[in-house]
Amino acid sequence: MISLQVKRNKDRFEFDVDANATVDDVFSSIEEKTNALKRTMKLIVNGKTLTAFDDGKKIFAEVVKKKGSKVTAMLLDGAPLVGGGGSTSAGAAMASSVAEKRRKEAKEKMMAQKDERAKERKSKGVESSYNANNKSFNWEKTGICSSQNSGLDALPTSALEAIRESAKVKVFDFSLNAIALVPNSIITLPALQNVTRVSLCNNVIESAGIDFKVLFESLRFLKYLDLSNNNLIGAMDVVNSLPSEDEDKEKSKRPPLQLKISNNKITSFPSSFFKSCPPLERFDASGNQISESIEHYFVGSETTLAHINLANNFRINAIPNAFRNMKSLQSLILDGNKIDKKGIPAVVLRECDRLSELSLKQNQVTIEELRELDGWDAYNERRVSRADKILDAKTMLGDASFREGADAERYTRDF
């Protein structure tokens, strides 16, 4: 038997440990005598730090290398020990019961307050917790119209409508809420017409909950739109009449858009979507369910689009020949799809003369097949040049900096 004395600050207690007891058994004994949870404990014995997770299966006597003697240990990170020295199991159990009762009462109180606030919102409207005038004043003053992670299930209409038309709001950020609908009446507010950045990520916006045509037509200075992690499902179709010559000219003058619409359940982007949206600079639709040919994608953005991410759609099987016309394209991320060597056009490798990052991780093509492709040498020259610039600049390398030129063994391991 080992006599174990455990100290924490000024508190201490003792108990006997069987010679064959594991470290996990010791932590269980401590847990019974204190309010501390086993997973939060660290025990320092003879300069060694023990945890139930890392050392639980080890024999305690072997770890401390003492048998039949007294061992002193320091307890860290647990809850305060109950009582003074030599506190009894009955006292510890009573204190644990009291603590559990208090936790339960606190949780019930919190839930009651939450229900009360919900009833208040229902009776007075979703904006009962909003002081519309104060919000509007702050938004006007800063030019940032934002309420992240506020538990909203709808946009605060009154506060937004109270913003004066003369305000120069640039940022519209209501991410990390539970908003399902973006009304056209909000998008078309005069005070928001100069907005350049819209973030509505991590909400529950559905396909019918946002009108892309109205959004793109109204926010003519928009440079960044984030709708990732929502409930957008199916085809992102846009009811669109044929653009006039004046509308085409107006569209060409607009700033390029960075569009992030990843991690939804989108199956397709019809041509009407790209005809409606401004010229694109960056397009991220990774983590969706796109299963169609992407031949018609990015019409109107051939000279502006620099970065495309369609990773983890799992069903895209080819890079379109039309991508050869994308003279600004620098990176094309297609990890996690079904592309084989037949789906990689040589003309894209040769003629996209700025393309220096092509990522095909978890597809159906090997590094040997890539190297045999017509056009690979031209692409690889750009890839190596890009890597050299990164090294010369002493920039930290991203995951994909050298992946396409890796040796076969590394390609197999990483891909």
Side-chain angles (χ1 to χ4, degrees), residues 15-59:
F15 62 94
D16 292 330
V17 177
D18 187 271
N20 296 319
T22 63
V23 172
D24 188 72
D25 294 333
V26 174
F27 277 109
S28 296
S29 298
I30 297 174
E31 189 174 42
E32 291 177 2
K33 295 177 181 293
T34 71
N35 286 331
L37 297 175
K38 187 191 304 185
R39 67 175 180 271
T40 69
M41 297 181 198
K42 291 182 181 179
L43 205 60
I44 300 178
V45 186
N46 297 337
K48 297 179 180 179
T49 301
L50 307 179
T51 65
F53 180 80
D54 294 325
D55 309 291
K57 295 182 180 181
K58 298 177 181 178
I59 301 300

Side-chain angles (χ1 to χ4, degrees), residues 12-13 22 25 39 71 80 84 95 107-108 117 151 206 215 219 224 241 254 260 274 299 305 314 320-321 339 404 407:
R12 67 186 62 196
F13 68 95
T22 63
D25 294 333
R39 67 175 180 271
V71 174
K107 184 176 181 180
E108 290 175 351
R117 288 195 298 268
E206 299 179 351
L215 187 148
L219 306 182
Y224 179 89
S241 57
R254 296 181 60 174
K260 189 173 183 180
F274 296 103
V299 172
L305 188 55
F314 304 110
N321 283 307
I339 299 172
E404 309 89 345
D407 57 68

Side-chain angles (χ1 to χ4, degrees), residues 273-344:
F273 181 89
F274 296 103
K275 289 178 181 178
S276 297
C277 76
L280 293 165
E281 177 184 356
R282 184 182 295 267
F283 182 83
D284 185 352
S286 58
N288 280 286
Q289 299 174 5
I290 298 172
S291 56
E292 63 179 346
S293 165
I294 57 175
E295 186 78 28
H296 62 278
Y297 279 31
F298 314 125
V299 172
S301 299
E302 293 87 352
T303 60
T304 58
L305 188 55
H307 306 280
I308 298 173
N309 189 344
L310 290 168
N312 299 318
N313 277 278
F314 304 110
R315 302 172 187 177
I316 297 173
N317 57 22
I319 301 172
N321 283 307
F323 279 21
R324 67 194 294 182
N325 299 319
M326 294 185 182
K327 302 305 180 183
S328 297
L329 186 61
Q330 298 175 32
S331 68
L332 179 57
I333 312 301
L334 292 163
D335 301 339
N337 281 289
K338 297 177 65 176
I339 299 172
D340 58 19
K341 65 177 182 179
K342 295 180 181 178
I344 307 172

